[in-house]
Amino acid sequence: MKLHHKGFLLVTISKSGGIWDQQLIEKVFTEYDESGDFREKTIRIALDELAAAGLIKRIENKLETINGKAKLLFKYQVSDFGITRMVDTGLLLP
């Protein structure tokens, strides 16, 4: 059984030390065999929710043109609180 999307995002971010949202989207698409604009926006919303909860933090941003559209991209890192919660829920071993 696969992790839910938010769990997958947290684990992936924690393993990377810092990763851009566009890279996370590509990893989710590959892991869950998904694609499309709706799914991309759903993942971005999940990242916003995780950031709002204090589990992850934005450490960098940049403006890039992707598929002819200007997009604001964020680089994420798991916060200290996020690491604690991941350990508490079993997503990360102490």
Side-chain angles (χ1 to χ4, degrees):
M1 185 165 96
K2 292 185 180 185
L3 282 174
H4 52 86
H5 281 91
K6 287 182 183 178
F8 178 81
L9 290 168
L10 284 168
V11 170
T12 304
I13 295 168
S14 71
K15 287 180 180 177
S16 72
I19 187 169
W20 291 97
D21 52 3
Q22 196 62 36
Q23 294 170 302
L24 284 166
I25 290 165
E26 291 168 12
K27 287 181 181 290
V28 170
F29 281 2
T30 300
E31 179 70 18
Y32 294 91
D33 194 27
E34 296 176 348
S35 63
D37 191 50
F38 176 79
R39 293 304 306 151
E40 178 181 337
K41 288 178 182 174
T42 302
I43 296 163
R44 290 186 188 280
I45 289 169
L47 289 167
D48 286 342
E49 289 172 347
L50 291 169
L55 299 173
I56 61 175
K57 57 187 175 181
R58 294 178 179 126
I59 56 172
E60 254 182 89
N61 63 61
K62 65 181 175 181
L63 189 61
E64 263 192 26
T65 303
I66 300 172
N67 298 326
K69 296 179 184 178
K71 289 195 177 190
L72 181 59
L73 303 179
F74 296 99
K75 189 172 190 178
Y76 290 97
Q77 185 177 59
V78 177
S79 67
D80 291 339
F81 174 67
I83 291 170
T84 301
R85 293 297 298 140
M86 287 178 70
V87 170
D88 291 346
T89 59
L91 287 174
L92 189 65
L93 297 175

